[in-house]
Amino acid sequence: MQYYLAVDIGASSGRHILGWMEDGQMKIQEIYRFENGMDLVDGTLCWDLERLFGEIKNGMKVCAGMGIQPVSMGIDTWAVDYVLLDRDGKVLGKTAGYRDKRTEGMDALVYQKIGPEELYGRTGIQKQIFNTIYQLMAVKCSEPEHLEAAEHLLMVPDYLNYLLTGVAKQEYTNATTTQLVNPETCGWDMALIEKLGYPTKLFRELSVPGTVVGPLTPEVRQETGLDCLVVLPATHDTGSAVAAVPTGEEHFLYISSGTWSLMGTERGNADCREVSRQANFTNEGGCGYRYRYLKNIMGLWMIQSVRREWKEAGETYSYGEICERASRERIPSIVDCNDGRFLAPESMCEAVRGFCRETGQPVPETKWEMAAVIYNSLAECYRICSQEIEELTGISYDRIHIVGGGANADYLNRLTANATGRTVYAGPTEATAIGNLAVQMMKGGEYESLEDARENIAKSFEIKVYEPEGRGDV
């Protein structure tokens, strides 16, 4: 039996999941889990990548301790954040995270070089102030010596792969989120990069999912007890999650539901029209050069944040309990989940109350009213987004696939079905790791194609179905 190891690292936690084929179905087993988050370092929100690498090796040791030697392992993480390395492979500067405020005002400086319309037309990527293009402008303004001294720019999963193998590769799906990749050539837009004054030597050939990075270094093999290849999945976690959407249909809507909610559809070509830019849709690269035409919605970050506030106040609740208690409330208030105030507030509860006050809506007074406002607001965002996708693509969609941890949110799934009037298929919950494994398994000969993998995923994992009210649950 051949095993494969997925290391899936999100903004709040990471996990090691083994995958294998048994009786014609994919099986998975979580063998290690760890926490993640940004730390405030001298006024900058940073990732502790040294600690993350240690956790990766800890999970690998658990795998070896089970007597399992996987054929390969692959890492996926969040997007846009990166590391600059000097010629000796040492990190330059801080490993700032996307929620840090250093990019404030950087859009204006970028637009002095290239207007927002032309930028979108060249890249198809929606404006998010934390995109790599703006992060690099911040470095250029405040720490230009780091750009000058850098020999490599590696996105976070690229850097972790470099620590594992000593090989520096830039992976395609994560690279597209930088807002510096041309969707027609599927490579770096060097003319754009030169126009912005970023060193072109940092942008090298892009590698696609399924590419072998290399074997583990002798040091890593000795420390962990594993001896396997490192293979690139879609290293952008949303890319891996969408690879695991369990459908054989050509046209479908999905929500990759976690800290962020990424709602969209899969297309063969990027849509870089001005109307797409105005609607704030993005065209992120996926497996097989497919495009994830989607919109970022704040997602479960809002619930995670209020839950954290309650915990700090001495009251701890499971997400299941929060969902269940929220479902009893009837407060009608709706907030715009994409409002910038919800990105990194000191208090998410106060940010929600403030929005309600400013818009003349009932202010949530209890925890469960607060949760209900957030869940109802997410469902309303999904309704609006699904309508926008139909208008922009000219295609009608009768179903929504919710994958990722948010697929467990029963109340939100029901709200989404009712708000959108579409059947909701929820699961698999570990879609990101499953998509990561699927690409490795394609490389390992277990699947012939992504279509083959998706068909098998639909048979291998539980998928819950929610019909809009009046049509009955399946």
Side-chain angles (χ1 to χ4, degrees), residues 199-306:
T200 56
K201 65 180 178 179
L202 301 179
F203 304 91
R204 309 185 184 191
E205 181 181 1
L206 295 178
S207 298
V208 297
T211 299
V212 174
V213 180
L216 301 174
T217 66
E219 295 78 11
V220 172
R221 290 200 302 270
Q222 182 176 3
E223 182 177 354
T224 65
L226 287 192
D227 185 6
C228 65
L229 292 175
V230 175
V231 170
L232 294 176
T235 65
H236 183 193
D237 51 11
T238 310
S240 278
V242 173
V245 172
T247 181
E249 294 192 350
E250 181 181 1
H251 303 296
F252 57 89
L253 293 178
Y254 60 79
I255 301 173
S256 177
S257 181
T259 300
W260 288 89
S261 286
L262 297 311
M263 185 172 189
T265 189
E266 193 173 68
R267 309 187 74 179
N269 297 292
D271 183 347
C272 302
R273 296 176 298 159
E274 176 63 11
V275 66
S276 286
R277 186 187 76 85
Q278 291 289 347
N280 211 24
F281 275 79
T282 198
N283 296 269
E284 296 174 349
C287 292
Y289 293 117
R290 303 162 195 240
Y291 287 92
R292 288 174 283 115
Y293 186 61
L294 61 83
K295 177 174 283 191
N296 285 298
I297 299 169
M298 195 65 71
L300 295 177
W301 161 251
M302 297 178 71
I303 282 290
Q304 292 167 356
S305 296
V306 298

Side-chain angles (χ1 to χ4, degrees), residues 318-375:
S318 69
Y319 288 114
E321 183 176 3
I322 294 172
C323 266
E324 196 280 325
R325 296 289 292 272
S327 69
R328 306 178 195 174
E329 304 297 329
R330 294 296 177 264
I331 184 169
S333 303
I334 297 291
V335 303
D336 178 3
C337 297
N338 294 319
D339 190 290
R341 76 182 74 195
F342 301 126
L343 182 61
E346 291 185 10
S347 168
M348 185 65 74
C349 291
E350 187 51 42
V352 172
R353 294 189 191 102
F355 188 102
C356 291
R357 291 190 195 99
E358 292 171 20
T359 53
Q361 301 181 85
V363 176
E365 297 180 355
T366 68
K367 297 181 180 65
W368 316 123
E369 284 188 342
M370 175 67 65
V373 167
I374 293 173
Y375 283 127

